[in-house]
Amino acid sequence: MDTVQFKVFVPEEKIENILSLAVRLNTQKQVKVKELASFIGLLINAFHAILEAPLHYRTLEHNKLEGLADTDDYNRPVVLSTQSVAEVIWWTDNVRAKNGKWVRPSPINIWVQTDASTLGWGAFCIDKDEHTGGRWSDIESDCHINYLELLKLQYSLL
């Protein structure tokens, strides 16, 4: 923890551990479940210091559980999925660049309320007393509501 910047950081030694395990995972066709579990443990430890960390470990965790399947043999080999390989690559590319998370988040400087349905979307900016919205196209209205909720967020910010 850096009390001057008021941020939490992953120490350099742990960054090196993450990077060396990531290289090992990416260069082998099969890895032992215990190596994968060790890597996941390092990533979970980084949650406090890297904002996006929780978004980039779940398929690795899924691979670990597949490797264990009906046994608790951590020496069992497992093949990483393409999504897991992509997560490992994300860590090698970003562990240093994204290192450092504010202890207190920045104050909210704009407040927007939004809503979406299968018919359309709307957004209201409380601070500026402005609103926007619209109807979905025929193609958009056939999409899952979770997708539409994300799409309305994108449209609201434009």
Side-chain angles (χ1 to χ4, degrees), residues 54-158:
L55 302 173
H56 300 281
Y57 88 102
R58 292 195 187 269
T59 57
L60 292 164
E61 184 72 36
H62 185 71
N63 254 156
K64 181 189 85 175
L65 294 175
E66 282 177 343
L68 289 172
D70 54 357
T71 181
D72 60 352
D73 181 9
Y74 278 80
N75 287 313
R76 191 174 184 184
V78 63
V79 177
L80 295 182
S81 68
T82 52
Q83 295 92 348
S84 288
V85 170
E87 285 186 346
V88 172
I89 291 169
W90 185 90
W91 280 94
T92 57
D93 292 346
N94 293 287
V95 69
R96 279 202 173 91
K98 305 276 185 179
N99 190 19
K101 183 174 168 184
W102 294 102
V103 174
R104 279 190 227 142
S106 301
I108 297 171
N109 56 9
I110 190 165
W111 191 270
V112 179
Q113 292 178 328
T114 63
D115 195 17
S117 71
T118 55
L119 299 175
W121 64 280
F124 177 72
C125 179
I126 295 171
D127 303 324
K128 297 181 181 180
D129 196 32
E130 295 176 356
H131 67 278
T132 187
R135 296 186 67 76
W136 301 120
S137 70
D138 290 338
I139 294 171
E140 290 169 331
S141 64
D142 287 335
C143 295
H144 193 280
I145 189 65
N146 291 345
Y147 174 79
L148 296 176
E149 291 285 352
L150 291 171
L151 193 58
K152 68 108 195 278
L153 291 174
Q154 180 182 3
Y155 289 168
S156 299
L157 296 173
L158 296 177

Side-chain angles (χ1 to χ4, degrees), residues 17-31:
N17 288 344
I18 289 171
L19 292 173
S20 66
L21 265 174
V23 167
R24 193 172 336 150
L25 291 176
N26 271 340
T27 56
Q28 297 175 353
K29 291 187 183 229
Q30 291 184 337
V31 297

